[in-house]
Amino acid sequence: MQSPAATECPPGLPSLEAQALFDWHTSERLLPRLRAKGNPPHVSGLKGIQACGLLLPAGTGGTSLATGLGNLTHRGEVSWYIGGIGYKHLVTFRHVRLTNRPCALMTVRDPYERLRSGFRFDTGQFHNTHHAALISNYQKRRTLHELLNAFRNPSAPGHATVRSMYNHSVLHPTCRSDADACVRKKTPEAPMNPFLYPQSAYLLDDSSASVPTIHFLCANNYAANWRKLLSEFGIESDMPPAHALSGRRPTSSALPYDDADARFVRDCLYPWDAYLNQHVCGTP
């Protein structure tokens, strides 16, 4: 999964348990989703797209997708979230299938750019920050580079906290009870952060004869992917894609692009998501 010039990762990274679970080369819980990429929807038109369930990893453009679909169908953004807004970043492909929806729409993003988005969001919510936030004043995580340094350097402020946050988040979202008829039961542990949930986790499911179609929208080329989505469903509309920031605000001084940091995130934190993004979106 790693690039030819892979970064040397510190001990414990990436998570060995997650790496085994999200092996895109062998996992029959994942591969059917990529094999189904490009399959036509079972039901076309507005009726078809309104029957889809949304898979929305935090920081990938999910709010923009739900807002755009709301504009397209004259429904509110929140109405698109299975289970309501509280489950916005928790619905998985399995949930979509078990609720008998014929299709799933999923937003995908380069894992480094996604983390930058998450850091921007937490910065915008700075007055509400807590120990599970990506930014931390008392642990001196005021820039994305400081956060990633805390992952790498055992002597960095907040090292134990960010490693714990990563380990608690990297196998989620998952179910909370046997009643969810889920793939794997795991009780959520604190601290956790939804921007650290792997995108690949949203695609896990057991093998099934009846599988919803899946349609990916890539953040790096969102406008073109929006038009492609409408075309796949045979929808003729001039409705432009929505670009919702969901509380984010520009923080350029805290978010300069750093090549070494980008390689670290892709190689050492989320190699499985880097593979997913490259396979689905053709980047980085």
Side-chain angles (χ1 to χ4, degrees):
M1 290 186 192
Q2 295 180 335
S3 59
T7 305
E8 183 176 350
C9 301
L13 294 178
S15 162
L16 293 180
E17 187 177 1
Q19 198 162 30
L21 188 64
F22 304 132
D23 188 341
W24 278 105
H25 297 289
T26 62
S27 175
E28 285 303 316
R29 287 165 150 186
L30 289 171
L31 283 172
R33 257 56 74 206
L34 290 190
R35 290 172 182 155
K37 175 178 175 283
N39 288 353
H42 298 309
V43 182
S44 61
L46 286 176
K47 180 180 179 181
I49 205 168
Q50 289 184 96
C52 295
L54 307 188
L55 311 181
L56 306 175
T60 61
T63 303
S64 295
L65 175 59
T67 301
L69 291 170
N71 294 339
L72 178 70
T73 59
H74 306 290
R75 290 170 48 186
E77 169 213 334
V78 176
S79 70
W80 282 90
Y81 303 135
I82 297 176
I85 197 167
Y87 290 88
K88 176 179 178 179
H89 300 307
L90 296 176
V91 172
T92 67
F93 187 87
R94 184 176 179 83
H95 291 118
V96 171
R97 180 174 63 79
L98 291 177
T99 52
N100 297 315
R101 294 172 182 264
C103 47
L105 313 180
M106 180 174 175
T107 47
V108 178
R109 193 171 196 172
D110 167 60
Y112 176 62
E113 292 296 346
R114 181 191 177 206
L115 200 57
R116 293 176 84 202
S117 177
F119 197 88
R120 184 182 299 113
F121 178 84
D122 277 4
T123 301
Q125 309 295 315
F126 188 72
H127 59 287
N128 290 326
T129 54
H130 47 86
H131 72 301
L134 301 180
I135 188 170
S136 173
N137 193 39
Y138 71 92
Q139 290 185 339
K140 304 187 188 310
R141 295 198 306 274
R142 291 180 293 270
T143 68
L144 180 58
H145 180 75
E146 288 172 332
L147 170 68
L148 296 176
N149 188 51
F151 275 106
R152 286 183 287 236
N153 186 355
S155 63
H159 172 75
T161 299
V162 299
R163 280 295 191 97
S164 178
M165 188 161 55
Y166 170 78
N167 289 330
H168 292 163
S169 304
V170 77
L171 297 176
H172 284 267
T174 187
C175 61
R176 296 177 178 172
S177 71
D178 293 326
D180 293 334
C182 52
V183 174
R184 55 207 161 89
K185 179 180 178 182
K186 190 174 181 68
T187 303
E189 299 178 78
M192 295 179 70
N193 189 293
F195 290 102
L196 298 180
Y197 296 169
Q199 296 171 73
S200 299
Y202 289 79
L203 294 169
L204 278 177
D205 192 11
D206 289 334
S207 299
S208 173
S210 177
V211 179
T213 59
I214 184 151
H215 309 267
F216 296 102
L217 291 93
C218 301
N220 68 307
N221 197 12
Y222 186 74
N225 278 221
W226 169 259
R227 292 191 295 271
K228 180 182 177 184
L229 176 68
L230 299 186
S231 176
E232 287 174 345
F233 279 83
I235 298 171
E236 296 183 7
S237 173
D238 295 327
M239 181 65 65
H243 294 283
L245 294 178
S246 187
R248 296 166 180 82
R249 63 186 182 192
T251 53
S252 57
S253 62
L255 291 166
Y257 188 94
D258 185 285
D259 285 333
D261 283 349
R263 289 194 301 271
F264 174 74
V265 172
R266 294 167 188 151
D267 292 346
C268 301
L269 295 182
Y270 298 100
W272 42 84
D273 285 351
Y275 178 87
L276 171 65
N277 185 64
Q278 186 174 34
H279 190 93
V280 170
C281 305
T283 58

